[in-house]
Amino acid sequence: MPRITRKWELFPGRNRFCCDGRVMMAPQTGVFYVTICLIAGTSGLFFAFDCPFLAEHITPAIPVIGCLLFIFVMSALFRTSFSDPGVIPRATPDEAAYIEKQIEVPNNGNSPTYRPPPRTKEVLVRGQPVKLKYCFTCKIFRPPRASHCSLCDNCVERFDHHCPWVGNCVGRRNYRYFYAFIVSLAFLCVFILACAVTHLIMLTKDNKPFVEAVRESPGSVVVSVICFFSVWSILGLAGFHTYLTTSNQTTNEDIKGSFTSKRGQESFNPYSQGNICGNCFYVLCGPAPPSLIDRRGVVTPEYRAEQKRVSEDCVITNNKVYGTVKVVQPQSNGNSVPPVDIEAGEQSTMVHEPSAWGTHQQQQQQPQHNDSSQQSSQPSHLDSLNDITSNSVTHLVMNELPLASLPLAPIDIDEIAPLPPPSIVMNNNNSMNNCNNMRSSSLLEPASVTTPLSASRLRLLQDTTMIESALDLDSLEEASIGHGSQTGLIKMGVP
Amino acid sequence: MPMSNHTPLEDMSSSRGQASNGPPPNCQKVFIQRDYSDGTMVKFQTRFPTELGDRLDRPTFEYTINQLNNYFAEAERASCSTYCEGCLACLTGYLIYICTETHYEKCLRKVAKFVSEQNDRVYRPRGLLLTDPTTRGLRLIEISVLDRPAS
Ligand SMILES: [Zn+2]
Ligand SMILES: [Zn+2]
C-alpha cells in the first residue's frame, strides 16, 4: 500500500505537527514543557506530601478535589496547545492573483512618484469602520480581528496572542480552552497553596519548631514557595482575561486600543454581544468553529500541483522585487526618506516593553538556525539588519519584504511578534519636521502618551505574568499616534 | 438559456473523474467575498457578479448564496442548544470533543451537501462549478467558469 501524504505535510506555516497531523503546535515548544513540568511537578509533590496527611486529618475530599482540578487543568492545557488556534488557510494562486489585480492601482509604472497600491480595505462592521490589512504572506485581506502570527507564520482568526507557555497561538478556536486553563490553574494554585500552608501550620501546632515541620514534610515547603510566587501572576492573568471575555475583546485589540474613542470619533466594539453575560457565554460556550485547515486530508495530485504553483509564484515575486526595485533603507538613517503622505493610517509603531523579552530571545535561538538557509539567500541589503543580530527583525523584514523594498513605502512592522531587545526601538517619527524633537523625547512616548490605558495595561500584564508573547501591534490606529497623516518611519536606535 | 451542450458535459465528466475536489486550474474564476457588515459571522455578499450574466440568472444565484448564508447563520447562531453543548464540553474538560461532532461541523456537512446538489442541478449544466467555501477557509465562494480560460 503506498504511503498516503496528508495535507499537514505540505502545510505552508511553520507549525509543528505530531500524531500524523492530529496535534498542531507552534514551532518552538521548549517553554511548553517547562509549563508541564512545573504544573505536574508541583501537583505531584502536593499529592505525595500533603494529601495523605490532609486526607487523614481534615477530609478525604481534598485529594479528590485536587485530582479533579489537576485533570481539568491538564486537559485544558493540552487542548489549548494541541488544537488549531483558527489558522486561516492561505490564498490559492487564483485568489491571490484576483486580489492582486484588485489592489493594483493603475498608474504609469515609471513615474517618479510611484504610489504603492493600498494594502488596506475598509469595511463597515455594524457601522463601525474596520480596516482589513493585506497579508503578504497569506496573500489575503485579513478578516476583521485576524492577525498574522510571525512565529507560526499563519494568519489566525480572532488572534489573541501567541503564548509560548502553552506552545501555541491563542485564537478563535482555542481561546475558550486557554481561558479554562488559566482560570482552573488559578484555582488549582490557590487550592494547593492553601493546603500546603495548612499542612505546615498543623505540623507546627503542638509547639514544634518550624524546622521540625520542614524536616517532616519538605515537599510542602517547596510546593508553598512555588505556588506563592506563581499565584500572583496567574491570578492577574485570569483577571485580565476575564475582563477581556466580558467585553469580548482580544489581548491584541485591547493593547492596540482598537475600540477606544479617539479624536472625538465615537468608537465601540462592534463584535460585542451587548452585555457581559452575553459576551461570556458567546466566547466560552458559543458555537465552536471548525478547523479550516484540513490537516488530515489526503493530498491529491491536484492539491500538490496547486501548492507548487503557490511556492513558485512566491519565488517569482521575490525575484522581481529584488531585481527591479532599488531598496531604500529608511532604517539605517531616518533622514534618507522624505516624508510622503502615502496612505493615511499607514503608520506603524511598536511599543517595546522591556520586561520579559529574555524569554523570547531564548526562544528565538531556534528559528535562527532554521531560517539561516533562507537568510543566506537574501540579498545583502539585509546585512545592516543582521548586524543588529535580532532575528526577529530580520524575520520581520523577510516576511514583509515585498513591502519593505518598495521605495518610499512606509515600513510596516506588522508581523513583528517577538519583541526585539531594548536596544532596538522602533520609533514613530511623525514627519521630518517633527523628527528631531520627537527623537529627543522618550522613545516610548508616542504610544504611551496616546494610548495610555493600553500601554500601561500591557506593562502590568507583562510584569505580573511574564507572558508577553507575540502581541501583534500592527498599526496603532492613525489617531492614536496623534498628529495626522504623516508617514511613520522606523528608526533603529543602535547604542 | 442557450448553451452549447458538449463542453459542459465533457467538463462535467472530467471533473467527476478527478474525484469531487477542486475545479481545474486555468479557468476563469469569480469570487464572492465575505460580507462583514453584521460582524465576523460567515456571510457572503449577494451582489450578482456581472461575469456570470450570460450563464446564470440573478434569482438562482441569490438563492444559492442566501441558502449558504442561512446554513452558516444556523451554524453560528448562539442558540440555547449550542450553549448547552459548550457548557457540557467545558464541564467535561473538553474531552467530549474527542468523540462527538460539534453543531458547527454538522452544519458544514449540510453546506457541502447543498453545494454538491446545487452543482449537479444548476451549476455544472451551465458550465460553472461552485466550490465549497470550507475548502477556501470560508473566505469566499469560488465559482469557476469551466470553459472560459483565465484572463
Ligand atoms: Zn498572514
Ligand atoms: Zn503563533
Side-chain angles (χ1 to χ4, degrees), chain A residues 329-345:
Chain A
Q329 273 190 318
Q331 292 97 327
S332 56
N333 178 2
N335 294 320
S336 71
V337 178
V340 196
D341 290 350
I342 288 175
E343 250 181 280

Side-chain angles (χ1 to χ4, degrees), chain A residues 239-250:
Chain A
F240 178 68
H241 278 285
T242 306
Y243 155 74
L244 290 180
T245 302
T246 53
S247 55
N248 197 345
Q249 290 186 73
T250 64

Side-chain angles (χ1 to χ4, degrees), chain A residues 273-286:
Chain A
Q273 300 286 306
N275 61 64
I276 290 178
C277 281
N279 282 334
C280 283
F281 267 121
Y282 190 78
V283 173
L284 301 176
C285 306

Side-chain angles (χ1 to χ4, degrees), chain B residues 52-71:
Chain B
L52 300 180
D54 56 338
R55 304 279 178 123
L56 206 59
D57 53 321
R58 188 182 289 261
T60 319
F61 170 79
E62 277 174 2
Y63 168 77
T64 311
I65 305 296
N66 282 329
Q67 204 59 29
L68 282 172
N69 283 345
N70 289 343
Y71 280 120

Side-chain angles (χ1 to χ4, degrees), chain A residues 72 75 79 88-91 94-95 98 124-126 140 143-144 172 177 281 285 287-290 292 300 302 309, chain B residues 21 25 29 31 33 36-40 75-76 82-83 86-87 90 93-94 97 104 108 136-140 151:
Chain A
F72 190 91
S75 81
R79 265 271 150 193
I88 304 170
R90 298 191 181 180
D94 295 311
E95 186 188 341
Y98 170 77
L124 287 181
V125 179
R126 294 197 183 151
I140 54 169
R172 185 183 183 201
Y177 311 138
F281 267 121
C285 306
L292 297 174
T300 56
E302 298 92 65
R309 266 171 81 207
Chain B
N21 45 45
K29 289 188 175 157
F31 297 98
Q33 301 285 337
Y36 292 111
S37 58
D38 288 337
T40 46
E76 304 207 8
T82 22
Y83 278 150
C87 291
C90 178
Y94 301 107
Y97 282 145
Y104 207 129
L108 285 187
R136 297 287 179 263
L138 301 181
R139 272 195 313 268
L140 36 76
S151 50

Side-chain angles (χ1 to χ4, degrees), chain B residues 59-134:
Chain B
T60 319
F61 170 79
E62 277 174 2
Y63 168 77
T64 311
I65 305 296
N66 282 329
Q67 204 59 29
L68 282 172
N69 283 345
N70 289 343
Y71 280 120
F72 284 112
E74 164 67 20
E76 304 207 8
R77 199 161 50 97
S79 68
C80 215
S81 65
T82 22
Y83 278 150
C84 288
E85 188 186 285
C87 291
L88 188 71
C90 178
L91 286 180
T92 59
Y94 301 107
L95 295 171
I96 199 170
Y97 282 145
I98 296 171
C99 42
T100 61
E101 203 177 32
T102 60
H103 174 65
Y104 207 129
E105 283 162 342
K106 283 176 204 148
C107 290
L108 285 187
R109 198 164 292 198
K110 278 188 223 160
V111 167
K113 217 176 118 204
F114 175 74
V115 166
S116 78
E117 180 233 62
Q118 285 283 301
N119 268 333
D120 288 347
R121 267 204 12 235
V122 181
Y123 289 85
R124 277 229 184 81
R126 300 171 199 213
L128 302 173
L129 185 71
L130 199 63
T131 307
D132 187 349
T134 319

Side-chain angles (χ1 to χ4, degrees), chain A residues 132-149:
Chain A
L132 307 186
K133 304 190 82 191
Y134 181 70
C135 178
F136 276 97
T137 312
C138 309
K139 303 219 184 325
I140 54 169
F141 276 103
R142 290 179 203 139
R145 312 194 91 179
S147 202
H148 191 92
C149 172

Side-chain angles (χ1 to χ4, degrees), chain A residues 26-27 149-153 156 159 161-163 168-170 470:
Chain A
C149 172
S150 70
L151 284 168
C152 309
D153 213 16
V156 176
F159 182 73
H161 66 291
H162 179 99
C163 183
N168 205 347
C169 287
V170 178

